[in-house]
Every structure is written in structure tokens, then in C-alpha cells.
Amino acid sequence: MAFKSKIKWVALFVLTLSLGSLTVHLSLTKFSSMSLVQYSAKEALSHDFPYIGSPVGRNKRLWGAVRSLESLQPYANPRNLYPVPGKTSNGFIYAKIFGGFEKIRSSICDLVTISRLLNATLVIPEIQESTRSKGISYKFKSFSYLYDEEQFIASLKNDVNIIKSLPEHFKSARRRSEFPTFKPKSSASPNYYVKEILPSLKKAKVIGLIIMDGGCLQPILPPILSEFQRLRCRVAFHTLQFRPEIQILGLRMVERLRAWGQPFLAYHPGLVRDTLAYHGCAELFQDVHTELIQYRREQMIKQGIVNDELSVESHIRRENGSCPLMPEEVGLLLRAMGYPSNTIIYVAGSQTFGGQRLLIPLRAMFANVVDRTSLCSKTELSDLVGPETPLPPDVFKMPNPKSEEQLKEEWNRAGPRPRPLPPPPDRPVYQHEKEGWYAWITENDKEPNPSPMDLRMQAHRLLWDALDYIVSVEADAFFPGFHSDGSRWPDFSGLVIGQRLYERASSRTYRPDRKKITELFNIIRDDMYHPKRNWILSAREHLNRSLSEEGLIRQSLLSKPTSFLSHPIPECSCRISSVEITKPIKGKDGRILFGGEPECPKWMQSARAEKARTDETEPAEDENDEPEQLEPDVISSLTSLIDHDEEWDPND
């Protein structure tokens, strides 16, 4: 009995101790729960950069300025006789602009230039992607959804007369379509406007322009019209300011990236469906993405945009440099340059065709890959959009089951007896196969019209591209995945490269030759993650050359004939006087490709000398030219992620 009594006392003691321990743990949980925070990419960066807020020296080989381009300075002011527009003009020009962010920005610059050329009053253009019919917030008009109207009008008062809307007595006539309307191409010459459009403008006093090609004036103008090229620069790089909410959030994103005390690199993949279809790069993708690209290419052929066959060898196009560099290839190039695995990489672009799965290799090589969703909260992004009218959600609907009569009718139509075994049952239809924007490809041969939610999302992409544009221009280095593609449209990377060249020509802006890069990757295609040292040095040499004069000359040859804003020199720049005088380099057509800039005014030279003295005091890291190899765990994890390719949702 005494033994049993002792056991009871021991059990009671253990039970009391357990209850006390549980009470203590619950109390600690209650008082410490307020300090718990959700995981985010911003907090995760602190593990790689413990010295937050304290600037560290930069590796000049990776982040330093390009010395040979430091003498180039932005200078878009008028240099010749440039009269202020008078109160009277030849008439009014109103315009409708179609297309995405890149086409809108380039088209507005051309519109202002044409208005100056024709001595016309420009009505604030209508951006069709952000009209009220697209479901945007009632707070904005089409232009003010993206840009600051007041700033646009005020900053161009010495160049062009701009009004917000047509006078009242012209509005009713416009609704009745009484005014002539033109659809100029992006290759329209100044003579076309002077001889064809100016007489109609003087006669009707109002004309309309419909711009769909991303521009309405040829990119390269004769030297006698250099003042119009500088007007383009003033519009693109000074006048076209995003509305204050976009500016504030974009600069806040840059501050958050710099808060870790480390430089960051911006990367734009350039994987856009229209561009991929134009160049025939469908076979570089898988599954439904190939079909979607081919469908879009077929539509372009019918519209006369593409004068080529539907089915082409994508790998041959890739070797010609017509297809984009994949994120995996960009990651390997950055590692060959010597960028460490903790480099902060900002991925720009409102959408990446192919989904996030294409970024898996890049994220495996660089741990700190972020985008706008990593740097901004959902509240910040929703505040940028503004209050919107709720739209009915796109509800997933299963296919209707067949009735007994339909099944009997199919059986009777099955053919003569004896009949074969009945077909196997249809495979189940998964919800994700019907919910995405790509679901139509499994059932129809024609792409359906965009839903109200799709139209609203297209308007939102303008805002996301604007944020990415601000970050990309301010980045310490920029790497384009696809630029100077030879199409007739302006591209996002080209606009970023052009503004970086205008504002800070010496900033590290890579301009890789995709054809040369493809030749390099063909050498190591069987073992891309263990390149030899001579391959790394060859890749590094090519990328370094793309930063300097060689890259600028190639950019001028390939990109400027398509978009002047992608290469605004020498028209919009000047050169600080130096011991080394750069001789102008001309192309076969006599056009200056590099050099030939005038000497900067004295006030710019003194400011530049002061900045040079400041830069000399900045600390620098030890430069290490040894190429960095990929870690074995990175290679194994990367391989497993790529091999695991079952039931991927193309929306991911």
C-alpha cells in the first residue's frame, strides 16, 4: 500500500509540474506575440547585408563608372534661334494613342514635335489603354492616369501651345466626325506632314491622329532639324513626369533598395508575347506558351505586320540574335562578370511571358532577386490604382454534362457495326486549366475578346511599368534581356538605356550582342555551370566592351533607326573639354555614330570638376578579377527545380 501511495504522489507532482510549464509557455507566447512579423524579401536581405544603412565601398570593376564616357553630359537646351510659339496657330491636333507603356511614351514625344513643326495647338492626347471604358478609377483621365498634366503643359510653354480639351464649338463637330483623321506610320517624314497634313489642318482647323505603331515621326531627322530632336529629348527626359503618387512610390522603392548599403542591378527580361511572335521564338518555350505565340504570329501575318512564314526554326533565329536571352543565361553572364551570389537584382517588367518558372535558374544563382511585389505592400499598390468600381469575378464553370439523348445520338453516329470498344473516359478538367488567360487555347481556335477584368489589368500594367522604369533608370547597373531587336516598335529596355545614356552616360549600362552571346553559350551548352576560365574571360571582355564606345556605336546602328529616344546622342549631349578629343565616327550613310558633340557651357564644366573632386574621396573595394564559380548546392538545387516539371500552371 505504501508503494502505491508513493506512485500517486509522484504522478501528482509530475502533473503539477506539467501544468506549471504549460502556463509559463502560454504566458510567454502571449506577451511575445506582438513582436512577430511576417516574412518578406526586404527582411530577408538583412541576413546578407548585416550593416544596414552604412555605405560600403564599391567594387569599381562591377559598379564603377565607365571612364571613357564621363565627358558626355546631358544638354538638350535650344542652341540656335528658337522662337516661342505665338498665340495664333494653324489649328488644333487631337490624338488617340494605342499600345503599351513604351509606345505611349515614344508617341507623346513625336506628337509634341509634330505640333511644333506644324505650328499647331496640341490637345492632351488620349491614351486608349487607360480610358474610363477600361475600368480605371474615376479620379483620373486617360493621360493623368500615368503622367502629370499640369507639369506637361507648363514645362512646354516655350515650345508648343497645349490645351486640355478642344474648344466647345469644336467638340460637337468632332462627335459627328466632321474633321479629317490620319493614321501616320512611325516612319512618316517631316515632308509628309508639311505637304499632306498641314493643308488639311489649315482648312479644317482641327485634325485627328490615330497612332498605333509607337510613334508618328521617323526617328532619324536631317541635321537641319536637330532642334526638333532636342525637343524630343526635353519631352522624354524632362517634361514627361509621372503623376506624383507614382513618383513618390518609385523613389521610395529605390530608397528601400539602397537602404541595405549595397548597389543593385536592374534586369528587364523583355519576354513579351508580341515581340516573341514577331521574331518567331515560339520553340524556346513549352506547352501552351508555344501555341499562344504561334497564334499571335498567325494574326500578325494576316494583319501584314509580319512578312514571313508561320513556322520558323526558333533556334536559328536565336543564333541570329533575334530572340531574347533567357534569365538563366543572364544569370550565368552576371556570374562570369564576377557579381557575387548576394547581389541585389531587381526584375523589371509588368509581365514575363512564360511565368515565374523562367526565373527559377536566376533565383537559384542569386538569392536576392526582388521585384515590385517584394518592395511594396498590397496597400501601397492599391492606393496607386485608386478607388475602382467592383467588377464581377471570372467564375470557373465546369463543362455541362451530356444528357442521355446526346449520348444516344453520339452512339448512333458512331458508324457501322460491329463497333470497336467505347473510347476511354475523358480526363478530368482541372480548375487551373480553365481559370487562366490562356484557357481558350484548349477549346477554341480564336482568342476571345478581353474581359472587363483583363482590360483593367492592362491599365494597371502601365502603372507597374512606370514604377519599374523609375527603378531601372536609377539603378547602379542595368542589364537588358532583349533590346535593339530590329522590329519597328520601341522597347522598354531601349527607353531605359536611352535615358541612362542621356542623364549619366558613364553609368554601367550593358548592351550585349545577343548573336555573340549565343555563340559563346554554344561552346559550353553541354556543361553551362562549369565553364572554363578562358570562356569566362571572353564573356567578361564582351560585356565590358558593350559598356563603352563599342556598345554605343552598335546601339546607334541597330536601335536609333527604330527609336531616337534609345540613343539620343550626339544631338542631346555635350562634351566636357578634356585632353583626349574624341573624333566623330560616321556610318556608311554619313550619320555620326559616336563623337561630334559640342563643348559644354562653362557652368557645366565647373560643376563637373566639383563632382570629380567629390568622387575621388569615395572608398573603393578591393578589385578581385578571379571569376566566381557556382556553388555545388546551388547547382544541385537548380537541377532539381528544373527537372521537377509536373503540372506546372502557366500562370505561375
Side-chain angles (χ1 to χ4, degrees), residues 316-329:
I316 296 178
R317 298 296 178 95
R318 177 180 171 275
E319 291 180 356
N320 291 336
S322 299
C323 291
L325 297 174
M326 287 300 178
E328 179 184 20
E329 297 172 328

Side-chain angles (χ1 to χ4, degrees), residues 499-549:
Q499 183 148 354
R500 290 173 64 90
L501 176 61
Y502 171 78
E503 293 182 354
R504 302 183 308 277
S506 60
S507 61
R508 297 191 74 84
T509 304
Y510 293 96
R511 306 170 186 87
D513 182 351
R514 291 187 299 277
K515 184 177 180 181
K516 177 64 176 177
I517 294 297
T518 303
E519 293 175 358
L520 288 173
F521 276 115
N522 287 340
I523 299 174
I524 61 166
R525 189 63 63 183
D526 296 333
D527 195 7
M528 295 174 63
Y529 290 91
H530 298 88
K532 296 182 179 179
R533 179 176 175 80
N534 59 350
W535 184 92
I536 293 176
L537 295 177
S538 298
R540 183 178 296 179
E541 180 185 7
H542 172 73
L543 292 178
N544 283 329
R545 285 182 177 179
S546 73
L547 293 168
S548 57
E549 295 95 334

Side-chain angles (χ1 to χ4, degrees), residues 24 43 48 116 119 150 174 242 289 310 367 419 451 469 542 563 584-585 611 629:
V24 171
E43 281 75 17
D48 292 322
R116 173 79 186 190
N119 187 26
E150 302 299 331
R174 180 189 172 183
F242 300 113
H289 296 97
L310 175 62
R419 296 173 181 171
S451 65
Y469 189 84
H542 172 73
S563 172
I585 300 175
K611 184 178 182 300
Q629 300 287 346

Side-chain angles (χ1 to χ4, degrees), residues 303-475:
Q303 296 169 6
I305 300 174
V306 174
N307 299 318
D308 201 352
E309 297 179 357
L310 175 62
S311 299
V312 294
E313 290 289 340
S314 299
H315 296 284
I316 296 178
R317 298 296 178 95
R318 177 180 171 275
E319 291 180 356
N320 291 336
S322 299
C323 291
L325 297 174
M326 287 300 178
E328 179 184 20
E329 297 172 328
V330 172
L332 292 171
L333 290 173
L334 294 178
R335 295 302 293 269
M337 278 296 296
Y339 287 97
S341 58
N342 65 346
T343 301
I344 302 174
I345 298 179
Y346 181 86
V347 179
S350 58
Q351 59 176 340
T352 299
F353 189 81
Q356 291 294 316
R357 61 186 291 183
L358 293 180
L359 297 176
I360 291 176
L362 181 66
R363 295 183 185 276
M365 285 182 270
F366 295 92
N368 298 321
V369 176
V370 298
D371 56 17
R372 67 177 182 280
T373 60
S374 308
L375 300 175
C376 303
S377 64
K378 292 183 178 180
T379 303
E380 289 175 320
L381 296 177
S382 63
D383 290 344
L384 192 65
V385 169
E388 295 176 331
T389 305
L391 295 175
D394 296 331
V395 182
F396 169 70
K397 295 180 180 180
M398 293 292 294
N400 297 325
K402 297 179 180 179
S403 63
E404 186 175 353
E405 289 77 10
Q406 290 175 327
L407 293 175
K408 288 182 179 179
E409 187 178 355
E410 289 182 0
W411 176 261
N412 294 330
R413 293 199 310 263
R417 295 172 174 78
R419 296 173 181 171
L421 293 174
D426 295 336
R427 73 173 182 84
V429 178
Y430 297 101
Q431 183 169 348
H432 76 267
E433 294 180 317
K434 301 295 179 183
E435 282 185 331
W437 50 268
Y438 55 86
W440 62 270
I441 201 76
T442 61
E443 295 181 349
N444 303 319
D445 295 330
K446 184 178 180 181
E447 187 170 3
N449 294 326
S451 65
M453 184 59 71
D454 294 333
L455 296 175
R456 179 175 286 181
M457 292 299 105
Q458 290 175 8
H460 290 179
R461 291 191 191 106
L462 297 180
L463 304 179
W464 313 151
D465 281 331
L467 294 175
D468 294 341
Y469 189 84
I470 294 173
V471 176
S472 299
V473 170
E474 296 294 330

Side-chain angles (χ1 to χ4, degrees), residues 12-26:
L12 182 62
F13 175 76
V14 172
L15 181 61
T16 305
L17 190 63
S18 300
L19 289 174
S21 176
L22 182 61
T23 304
V24 171
H25 280 80
L26 289 175

